Amino acid sequence: MTEIAIRLDNLTRDFEPVRAVDGLSLEVPAGTIFGFLGPNGAGKTTTIRLLLGLLEPTAGQAVVLGYDTRTQAQEIRSRTGALLEHSGIYEHLSAEDNLGFYARAYRLSSKSERQARVRELLEHMGLWERRKDQAGTWSKGMQQKLALARALLHRPPLVLLDEPTAGLDVPSAAAVREDLAELAEREGTTVFLTTHNMAEAEKLCSRVAVIRKGRLVAIGHPDELRAQSGGPRVEVLGHGFSDEALALLRKRPEVAAASVQNGHLAIDLRQETATSPLVSLLVGAGVQVEEVRRGKASLEDVFLTLMEEEK
């Protein structure tokens, strides 16, 4: 039987008159990377605070690592690493001193153990050569990696990360994603993360949950969610995707939806069918077609569809 790291049962939290989390029920298997997705204000950060026992539920229950968040919050926090909206990094201290301070706070048993763990993490994050620098002089990407090292310092079986790559440049974000993937694979750590980056979630997560207005609207492996999004898709690269051309497409009986996304035209079909009539229609409407290819819905497409359905 798969061990469950997080179990939510009708979890609810009110901030009168707003219901921030509305009857969430889900399970997160241990040793997996679980994506928690939703627009701003959906209740993601509130859920993480509930999981850490920083907020008490209005109703329902959350059990984290076998502990109830209402009555055993301290046990949860001592066994969990967290990176929330504030990094927890002291900018006037060096990277080495920052981690040394937290190593003592986490009560790593001996000075030699603390020093070894600090070095291990700084080397792994590529920060060891800059260990004596004040953290406040570092780039945001380096500070974020140091904050992630802080969250991992005491080898927690669960880490809760709120937008861990937000604001990072592409190389820094890729490095953080690689660190998280290695963490789950190498140490069996459960990673629960929120992100607005659908491509990131698609690459990293073995399961994702999508929430809106505090309610769960979808859960499953990214491939499962894509499969539920409908029929086949055709992508058209070119220029001149006018409103008139889109209107003509949408009138075709084989077309379920048509929209311009990231500069190309995405056509969702009700079933597999020839694309030549659609291409002819587009050319007749003045579209300059450069390439036509079969595609599939991305996790971002699924997310946008779910948000539309919930309006």
Side-chain angles (χ1 to χ4, degrees), residues 8-14 19-26 47 50 57-61 211-217:
L8 308 184
D9 183 14
N10 196 38
L11 188 67
T12 301
R13 173 66 195 201
D14 292 334
R19 174 155 288 184
V21 177
D22 189 0
L24 278 183
S25 295
L26 58 84
T47 301
L50 287 165
T58 304
Q61 184 185 39
I211 66 168
R212 180 177 170 82
K213 296 180 180 178
R215 291 186 294 109
L216 182 68
V217 296

Side-chain angles (χ1 to χ4, degrees), residues 11-177:
L11 188 67
T12 301
R13 173 66 195 201
D14 292 334
F15 297 102
E16 294 295 345
V18 176
R19 174 155 288 184
V21 177
D22 189 0
L24 278 183
S25 295
L26 58 84
E27 293 182 345
V28 177
T32 62
I33 301 180
F34 188 93
F36 198 54
L37 315 179
N40 288 334
K44 303 187 300 295
T45 300
T46 299
T47 301
I48 286 184
R49 291 186 172 280
L50 287 165
L51 295 178
L52 288 168
L54 300 174
L55 293 172
E56 187 167 324
T58 304
Q61 184 185 39
V63 176
V64 178
L65 301 176
Y67 297 99
D68 190 293
T69 60
R70 289 179 186 269
T71 59
Q72 299 170 300
Q74 187 55 48
E75 285 83 352
I76 292 170
R77 289 196 288 270
S78 68
R79 293 166 173 80
T80 302
L83 178 54
L84 305 183
E85 64 268 31
H86 301 296
S87 68
I89 296 302
Y90 295 99
E91 293 190 351
H92 64 284
L93 295 180
S94 69
E96 192 172 40
D97 287 344
N98 261 287
L99 294 191
F101 168 79
Y102 281 107
R104 292 189 297 274
Y106 286 130
R107 299 180 181 177
L108 297 193
S109 60
S110 66
K111 183 177 180 180
S112 61
E113 181 192 6
R114 292 194 296 268
Q115 290 175 334
R117 181 59 172 161
V118 167
R119 177 164 188 159
E120 176 187 3
L121 284 168
L122 289 176
E123 287 183 340
H124 180 71
M125 297 290 183
L127 303 174
W128 177 249
E129 299 302 321
R130 301 282 302 274
R131 65 190 181 279
K132 299 296 185 182
D133 296 355
Q134 284 190 347
T137 67
W138 283 5
S139 68
K140 181 169 182 179
M142 293 174 68
Q143 289 184 22
Q144 190 78 335
K145 293 178 79 173
L146 180 60
L148 182 58
R150 173 193 60 74
L152 302 177
L153 193 59
H154 54 309
R155 293 186 172 87
L158 169 67
V159 289
L160 305 173
L161 307 175
D162 196 4
E163 299 286 345
T165 60
L168 301 187
D169 58 29
V170 173
S172 295
V176 169
R177 285 194 293 270

